[in-house]
Amino acid sequence: MLQSSVLKETVLKQEGFHMRCHGNPFSRRGFLAAGTLGGLGLSLPDLLMRQAAAEQKHYDFIEAKAKSVIHIFLPGGLAQQESFDPKPYSPLEYRGEMGTVKTNTGEVFCESIPQLAKRADKFSVIRSMSHGEAAHERGTHNMFTGYKPSPALSYPSFGAVVSHEYGPRNNLPPYICIPKVPNEYAGTGYLPSSYGAFALGADPARDDFKVRDLDLAGGVDQERFIRRKSALEIVNQRFAERGSCDSVDAMNTFYQRAYDLLDTPAAKEAFDLSKENAKMRDRYGRNEAGQRMLMARRLVEAGSRLVTLTYGGWDMHANITAGVRNLMPRLDVALSALLDDLSERGLLDETLVMLTSEFGRTPKVNADAGRDHWPKVFSVMLAGGGIQAGLIHGASDSTASEPELDPVSPADLATTMYRLLGIVADKELMAPGDRPIEIVNGGKLITPLLA
């Protein structure tokens, strides 16, 4: 019965479902219960047999609403006041110099995002994101893993977990970073390094943009490539026979996925921006924000499961008005184009778009006309992939100092993202030393945002 259950889970995962067991007999809680019941005369084998027999009755099937995720990360800390949560009625030293714009849903955004304001019915905003980490590195860790940093364990990023749970689709790498892995917390953590990201290695906005390693090296024809591949397999087999090693296993996995990619013209073509219509490239904007988002759309459309991209530097301790006016227009146009493009292609319903940053900015403008780090409250934008559109979830207080309504933690956000992907957030993965660790610990679903 256990074997049939495992087989059933394997098939369902391939179809975009994950099984969740209430009272998982293989969780830490299950074994703790086994110890307790043993004192009452019920042995561990008896317990496992009973739980296995009941297993068929206690599984729920989590259907994936989202097939892919585009995670747009704004490093440095996006100011909530100069984006999705302006405070027009607060004193000048709190509200800042920028005005507001009315959205097509009747809400108010900062004047810095007029194009997104016209499309507020396509996405939702969380105005009550909150955590306690005011350092860039620690805040970034929270927003890439759903966990507070720990000196005892390195946690895997969203992309690594998705890669672990689902693997490649259409021979595209399951986890891709544009243009590079943005930080150390976007890595695999305690998971094997074979679940790491494929990084483009170059910026799609460059005129000479070309993804590395997608073509055979100069002077290497197909026949020579096959000979090299066979030789490498023989060498790696000798290593494998002497014992398992994460670095060797990871390299084998990367090589195999590279072979699959090289052998799949449609997958390779996904990385070729020259295949895009010139008008479409112009529509996104011929800049870092525009071309990175266009590349992300191409990659999820072709089959990649999670694409992470970064844009700009938002750590504006001085002259924040000038900084936002410089960076935001390209983001506003590109993100609006992405939402429109995904919608027109019928992809928005199955693609979750997340716009995040490591924290927000201080309620009060400082002496240098900037804002400093502020993790107590900030804003996140979500669209598509099973998200209810046109909503504002939660609220900050009158000066954007702290949540006033429905605070949301990074664990809550991660739990909701995984649920939309069909992944059980409290499923236990194995860390070194056979230590079971939940994908997310203690996160709650943000149910009002679920369509």
Side-chain angles (χ1 to χ4, degrees):
M1 188 170 293
L2 285 173
Q3 288 180 338
S4 65
S5 176
V6 171
L7 177 61
K8 188 174 184 181
E9 181 175 8
T10 301
V11 173
L12 286 165
K13 282 174 69 174
Q14 292 173 349
E15 297 300 322
F17 291 80
H18 269 230
M19 291 199 293
R20 175 171 185 164
C21 178
H22 301 291
N24 181 358
F26 301 107
S27 70
R28 285 172 292 172
R29 297 180 183 85
F31 282 109
L32 286 172
T36 303
L37 291 171
L40 300 176
L42 185 62
S43 68
L44 177 59
D46 288 337
L47 174 67
L48 291 178
M49 288 178 65
R50 293 188 185 190
Q51 290 181 328
E55 200 174 345
Q56 302 296 330
K57 299 180 182 179
H58 291 278
Y59 274 113
D60 290 336
F61 298 104
I62 298 180
E63 182 181 359
K65 300 291 183 68
K67 293 182 178 179
S68 303
V69 176
I70 297 175
H71 181 197
I72 303 162
F73 186 73
L74 306 181
L78 176 69
Q80 63 274 24
Q81 305 90 332
E82 276 76 26
S83 57
F84 295 103
D85 193 12
K87 299 297 177 181
Y89 303 113
S90 62
L92 178 63
E93 62 268 28
Y94 289 91
R95 71 173 182 264
E97 299 175 323
M98 303 191 77
T100 61
V101 61
K102 196 92 166 181
T103 73
N104 66 352
T105 59
E107 297 289 340
V108 173
F109 289 165
C110 179
E111 65 175 336
S112 64
I113 47 175
Q115 296 305 315
L116 286 171
K118 295 176 183 177
R119 296 163 176 81
D121 59 338
K122 291 184 183 291
F123 58 85
S124 289
V125 173
I126 300 172
R127 282 180 171 168
S128 53
M129 280 297 306
S130 181
H131 63 72
E133 306 292 348
H136 289 293
E137 296 79 9
R138 297 179 67 85
T140 300
H141 184 285
N142 276 357
M143 301 305 290
F144 269 81
T145 68
Y147 270 93
K148 294 179 180 179
S150 167
L153 189 64
S154 178
Y155 294 97
S157 66
F158 300 150
V161 171
V162 171
S163 178
H164 176 273
E165 292 298 289
Y166 282 128
R169 180 173 55 201
N170 300 339
N171 287 334
L172 259 294
Y175 174 30
I176 299 177
C177 289
I178 303 174
K180 61 183 180 180
V181 179
N183 54 70
E184 61 184 296
Y185 313 114
T188 59
Y190 60 75
L191 290 177
S193 53
S194 56
Y195 299 110
F198 176 87
L200 268 59
D203 197 314
R206 291 177 49 168
D207 292 335
D208 60 349
F209 169 71
K210 186 177 182 181
V211 178
R212 63 187 180 190
D213 304 329
L214 287 187
D215 296 301
L216 296 177
V220 178
D221 57 21
Q222 190 67 24
E223 184 178 345
R224 187 178 179 187
F225 171 71
I226 293 172
R227 289 200 305 270
R228 287 184 171 186
K229 178 181 175 182
S230 299
L232 180 63
E233 289 171 351
I234 293 171
V235 173
N236 285 344
Q237 181 63 32
R238 293 294 301 275
F239 277 107
E241 290 171 353
R242 297 186 179 188
S244 179
C245 174
D246 178 52
S247 59
V248 174
D249 292 341
M251 192 58 65
N252 286 342
T253 300
F254 280 125
Y255 273 125
Q256 187 55 56
R257 290 181 179 176
Y259 299 150
D260 293 339
L261 182 56
L262 288 170
D263 290 338
T264 310
K268 286 177 60 177
E269 189 172 293
F271 294 90
D272 189 355
L273 275 183
S274 69
K275 302 294 183 182
E276 280 292 334
N277 183 287
K279 289 184 178 180
M280 182 61 76
R281 297 192 68 176
D282 292 340
R283 180 177 172 185
Y284 275 82
R286 303 255 184 174
N287 52 60
E288 290 181 356
Q291 299 307 287
R292 291 178 186 183
M293 291 192 205
L294 177 55
M295 176 62 77
R297 188 271 289 162
R298 289 182 61 84
L299 293 173
V300 299
E301 185 176 35
S304 188
R305 298 187 185 276
L306 190 144
V307 177
T308 292
L309 67 93
T310 57
Y311 166 67
W314 302 84
D315 193 24
M316 299 176 182
H317 291 276
N319 302 317
I320 192 168
T321 300
V324 169
R325 284 178 173 160
N326 176 50
L327 281 180
M328 192 68 87
R330 284 164 282 180
L331 175 66
D332 183 40
V333 169
L335 184 51
S336 297
L338 176 65
L339 296 176
D340 290 347
D341 193 12
L342 288 170
S343 181
E344 291 161 7
R345 292 170 183 270
L347 294 172
L348 187 57
D349 287 344
E350 61 187 44
T351 305
L352 175 63
V353 180
M354 298 198 311
L355 180 77
T356 74
S357 195
E358 64 259 47
F359 41 56
R361 312 304 296 186
T362 48
K364 194 171 184 179
V365 177
N366 63 28
D368 295 317
R371 298 184 191 267
D372 303 314
H373 304 175
W374 195 256
K376 289 185 178 181
V377 70
F378 57 108
S379 297
V380 162
M381 194 210 86
L382 301 171
I387 289 292
Q388 191 80 255
L391 296 183
I392 300 293
H393 179 77
S396 63
D397 63 12
S398 61
T399 56
S401 300
E402 59 186 35
E404 189 171 74
L405 183 67
D406 297 327
V408 174
S409 72
D412 298 338
L413 180 64
T415 295
T416 303
M417 178 203 69
Y418 285 129
R419 176 60 177 263
L420 293 171
L421 284 167
I423 294 173
V424 178
D426 59 0
K427 175 182 177 180
E428 291 173 343
L429 305 181
M430 298 307 294
D434 292 330
R435 178 184 175 189
I437 303 293
E438 293 176 335
I439 294 176
V440 182
N441 183 17
K444 303 183 296 294
L445 279 177
I446 314 170
T447 50
L449 287 180
L450 302 181

